[in-house]
Amino acid sequence: MTPARRSFTASLRRVLPYARSVIPRLGFGLAAAVCAALLGLAIPQALRWIVNDTLTGGGERRLWLGVAVVAALGIGEAALIVTRRRTLVGPGTRLESDLRVLLFSHLSDLPLSVHGRYSGGQLLSRTISDVRRFRRWLIFGLSQTCVNAITIVAGVVLILWIDWVLGLVYLVGSVPALALSFRARGRYAVLSRRAQDQAGDLAATVEEAVHGIRVLKAFGRERDALDGFTERAGALRRTELGKAGQRAVMTFAVTGVPDILLAALLFAGLHEISTGDLTVGGLLAIFTLTAVMGGPLERLSEQFAVSMEAKTALDRFLELLDHRRGIADPAQPRPVPDGRGQVVFDRVSFSYDGTQPLLRDVDLVIEPGETLALVGLTGSGKSAIGQLIPRFWEASAGAVRIDGVDVRELRRHDLRRLVAVAFEEPVLFSASVRANVTLGAPEATDEELWEALEIAHADFVRELPDGLDTRIGEEGMSLSGGQRQRLSLARAILCRPRVLVLDDPLSALDVHTEAAVSRRLRTRLAGTTTLLIAGRLSSIALADRVAVLHGGRIVATGTHDDLAAGSAVYRSIVYGEPHAAARPAPTVVGT
Ligand SMILES: Nc1ncnc2c1ncn2[C@@H]1O[C@H](COP(=O)(O)OP(=O)(O)OP(=O)(O)O)[C@@H](O)[C@H]1O
Ligand SMILES: [Mg+2]
């Protein structure tokens, strides 16, 4: 069932397992809230008793006693309200943070295909605002709703008990109010989901504009970004206005209608007094009761709205949680095999979206310690081959094996220790250089760290103001593209993996630096099996062997010299020579 279709209670049941530890305190807080409400309702009863007693000449001592009882009830109510707050805040905030951590860890386990479906802004608004909204409702909204509902039901019962005629008048008069607010509630629910989705889109617009600020500036498109933002902000505003309209209807239903009801109650009450069926104290108690119920009635409509928003928030949260985690650990994982990192692609087929085949029957062996360069036209699926080794994606047929073991039979944790990847687009975090480079090897010593930096030709770190402790801005924006690539390369090297996948991580370097880095990689990482996806001859020439990917298959392998002499496809890819088979890429393999 999709979360939107699920009832609120069903959604709540879904988060129950995570809320188990806070339920006892939640229950206690709820009980305190209900007791406080009941004490509040007892006050009109005491008033009724005092007034009737005084009118019938009960004496000064009994009057004082009555006043003391009312005061005691008031103090009791206040104490219980404080207790409720104190018991609920702790567990509520703990649950909020638990849910956030849960979602965050789930997000990092989701397959890349699911990540592609949500914008950063949506993920952000769901992890932050939606979780907070749900927590607020759980702590305050839920107890308030219960208390108010109980206050109203108990109030009606008391009125019926004091005088059933007035009780009936009150009940019958409430029917239109209920009908009106029920209808408004349904409309509000729809608008509420829309508003929360639009708020997520708005956050996405900000996120993308900030992310792409350089591009926007470069093309003078800041104005367009602003227009897009204004439009989305306007759409959100219109939805919020619609919500306010429905909220007004709900408020009118629960405050306006009962006010009209008061006149009817007064009329009927005076009649009941004249016939002797009701005392003056009784009428006073009924009016005090309606006053006591007035607040809860008004708040109840507000809380309906808040509950709707909490349901939407919870559904948006659960929608993400309902996505199945990506690649799971095998039920019976194989131990990490001994070996020096032989990688075998055995008739591997692959498609990103499950329909358009990108790779078909790829056979490729990278011998232990070998550096194999993979060349192919842009979009031919080189990155796909690189990402199949650490199992970022799943092959649709065939198998990828490391030292004889299918990567699907290894624990993800073990696999990630065997294979390290450096991407063309380096991702750095706003943290120190050290934290960024030691991401995959937190226990590395400074000596090892410097060695990795040196191999990656990233000695520029020495010149940074605080060396290894220099904080690099968000996504390493304070560094040049080539500097970022080299840090990301050092990060992969530092893991000392058995298999290193280098997905064009030197593309931003000049030819000389690239050749120097490649040379160092070859000599210093002689024992590491390396798949080097590279476009430039200077890097390719340094590899032990080269494999050519074309039309979804490996069409040739050999040394650079062999291929340059014998493969027209190879020549056309690396030298740009015209060749019929290598015209801009038929990446989709025909059937
Ligand atoms: N996440 C994805 N979902 C769907 N299709 C994708 C995805 N990533 C890439 N593709 C498509 O798959 C094809 C191969 O992409 P891939 O990144 O493997 O090529 P590549 O050989 O590495 O290209 P380049 O040299 O430009 O880096 C491209 O046509 C691309 O549009
Ligand atoms: Mg690529």
Side-chain angles (χ1 to χ4, degrees):
M1 208 186 318
T2 61
R5 296 249 182 84
R6 223 174 350 217
S7 72
F8 199 5
T9 36
S11 298
L12 284 175
R13 224 171 296 135
R14 180 90 166 65
V15 285
L16 199 65
Y18 312 110
R20 210 144 260 161
S21 65
V22 302
I23 286 176
R25 287 186 70 175
L26 218 57
F28 182 69
L30 217 60
V34 170
C35 291
L38 291 178
L39 285 189
L41 279 172
I43 293 175
Q45 293 311 305
L47 278 178
R48 172 181 167 215
W49 177 55
I50 296 168
V51 170
N52 280 344
D53 204 53
T54 314
L55 288 181
T56 53
E60 199 173 327
R61 255 197 81 209
R62 296 191 47 160
L63 177 68
W64 280 116
L65 186 64
V67 170
V69 168
V70 172
L73 288 174
I75 292 171
E77 185 188 0
L80 283 168
I81 289 174
V82 171
T83 313
R84 186 207 79 203
R85 280 206 161 244
R86 292 184 70 117
T87 18
L88 287 182
V89 170
T93 44
R94 179 157 6 109
L95 181 65
E96 178 178 356
S97 115
D98 286 355
L99 288 181
R100 246 181 220 144
V101 172
L102 173 76
L103 184 58
F104 191 87
S105 82
H106 189 75
L107 286 180
S108 31
D109 276 349
L110 283 182
L112 296 174
S113 55
V114 174
H115 275 276
R117 258 184 266 160
Y118 294 91
S119 64
Q122 280 292 355
L123 298 182
L124 195 71
S125 80
R126 289 175 198 219
T127 351
I128 307 295
S129 352
D130 284 341
V131 174
R132 184 189 309 128
R133 201 169 297 210
F134 173 67
R135 185 268 298 170
R136 279 211 184 130
W137 172 82
L138 194 66
I139 295 190
F140 301 112
L142 177 63
S143 64
Q144 291 290 314
T145 311
C146 287
V147 164
N148 291 331
I150 288 172
T151 308
I152 291 162
V153 171
V156 170
V157 169
L158 280 173
I159 296 178
L160 277 168
W161 177 61
I162 297 170
D163 187 290
W164 65 270
V165 177
L166 264 68
L168 279 185
V169 170
Y170 192 84
L171 274 181
V172 173
S174 307
V175 171
L178 284 177
L180 207 60
S181 65
F182 195 75
R183 211 176 62 159
R185 206 184 118 187
R187 295 185 179 164
Y188 190 90
V190 175
L191 291 173
S192 157
R193 169 77 203 215
R194 192 180 305 159
Q196 271 155 274
D197 286 343
Q198 285 173 335
D201 289 342
L202 198 63
T205 317
V206 176
E207 201 241 6
E208 276 170 17
V210 171
H211 200 80
I213 187 70
R214 293 178 194 206
V215 180
L216 291 176
K217 276 185 186 300
F219 291 91
R221 288 298 190 197
E222 299 100 314
R223 184 80 224 168
D224 288 351
L226 180 62
D227 289 347
F229 184 79
T230 314
E231 195 188 305
R232 289 182 168 190
L236 177 59
R237 178 174 169 270
R238 285 190 291 280
T239 312
E240 290 292 348
L241 277 178
K243 273 171 68 184
Q246 295 306 323
R247 205 174 237 196
V249 175
M250 289 193 259
T251 311
F252 170 74
V254 297
T255 55
V257 177
D259 281 348
I260 302 167
L261 242 175
L262 278 188
L265 279 180
L266 185 63
F267 183 78
L270 290 177
H271 174 78
E272 291 284 283
I273 291 177
S274 72
T275 58
D277 290 325
L278 181 65
T279 58
V280 175
L283 187 62
L284 178 72
I286 288 175
F287 270 81
T288 318
L289 276 172
T290 56
V292 169
M293 285 153 66
L297 266 172
E298 193 178 338
R299 284 195 295 270
L300 207 56
S301 79
E302 182 78 18
Q303 278 148 15
F304 266 141
V306 173
S307 306
M308 283 297 113
E309 283 169 358
K311 175 186 183 317
T312 315
L314 185 59
D315 287 344
R316 279 162 49 90
F317 172 86
L318 290 175
E319 186 184 309
L320 290 180
L321 221 53
D322 283 345
H323 284 297
R324 286 196 26 201
R325 284 174 188 246
I327 292 163
D329 276 341
Q332 279 157 346
R334 294 268 299 265
V336 176
D338 290 330
R340 291 176 40 237
Q342 187 203 41
V343 178
V344 175
F345 279 74
D346 183 5
R347 299 178 70 80
V348 171
S349 299
F350 171 70
S351 154
Y352 276 114
D353 53 12
T355 56
Q356 297 216 323
L358 178 66
L359 303 176
R360 205 170 69 168
D361 292 341
V362 167
D363 279 317
L364 183 66
V365 180
I366 314 173
E367 296 299 342
E370 182 184 36
T371 296
L372 180 98
L374 181 64
V375 300
L377 294 174
T378 177
S380 56
K382 302 183 296 294
S383 296
I385 290 198
Q387 295 189 16
L388 282 168
I389 302 176
R391 212 179 158 205
F392 288 171
W393 302 89
E394 203 85 84
S396 45
V400 179
R401 296 199 191 91
I402 298 177
D403 289 323
V405 176
D406 191 327
V407 290
R408 283 173 292 210
E409 293 178 333
L410 289 168
R411 272 196 204 90
R412 279 177 307 168
H413 175 75
D414 292 338
L415 182 59
R416 301 286 143 84
R417 291 211 1 219
L418 284 177
V419 185
V421 189
F423 300 96
E424 177 178 7
E425 286 158 21
V427 174
L428 298 176
F429 298 93
S430 51
S432 65
V433 171
R434 188 199 307 276
N436 268 289
V437 179
T438 56
L439 194 72
E443 69 289 346
T445 62
D446 273 10
E447 206 177 318
E448 292 165 328
L449 188 55
W450 279 117
E451 195 194 344
L453 288 169
E454 204 212 321
I455 298 175
H457 220 296
D459 338 46
F460 69 89
V461 172
R462 287 185 208 282
E463 265 94 71
L464 292 177
D466 294 316
L468 285 173
D469 295 313
T470 313
R471 267 189 85 84
I472 43 185
E474 196 175 353
E475 300 189 4
M477 284 293 200
S478 52
L479 300 175
S480 80
Q483 287 174 327
R484 272 181 270 153
Q485 278 195 337
R486 281 177 281 164
L487 286 190
S488 145
L489 179 61
R491 168 155 77 199
I493 294 171
L494 190 62
C495 294
R496 295 185 172 279
R498 228 183 260 182
V499 180
L500 190 59
V501 177
L502 304 177
D503 190 350
D504 221 354
L506 308 175
S507 60
L509 307 187
D510 60 79
V511 182
H512 304 293
T513 318
E514 187 197 13
V517 177
S518 303
R519 212 170 295 123
R520 277 188 211 181
L521 281 173
R522 246 173 77 78
T523 48
R524 305 284 286 275
L525 302 180
T528 310
T529 310
T530 308
L531 176 69
L532 176 69
I533 298 170
R536 293 207 204 117
L537 211 50
S538 46
S539 286
I540 300 169
L542 284 168
D544 299 306
R545 236 161 21 108
V546 185
V548 184
L549 178 65
H550 190 73
R553 295 167 191 273
I554 299 292
V555 293
T557 50
T559 62
H560 163 69
D561 294 335
D562 293 346
L563 291 175
S567 168
V569 181
Y570 179 71
R571 276 198 305 274
S572 103
I573 292 171
V574 297
Y575 298 122
E577 275 181 18
H579 177 266
R583 279 207 197 101
T587 52
V588 179
V589 184
T591 45

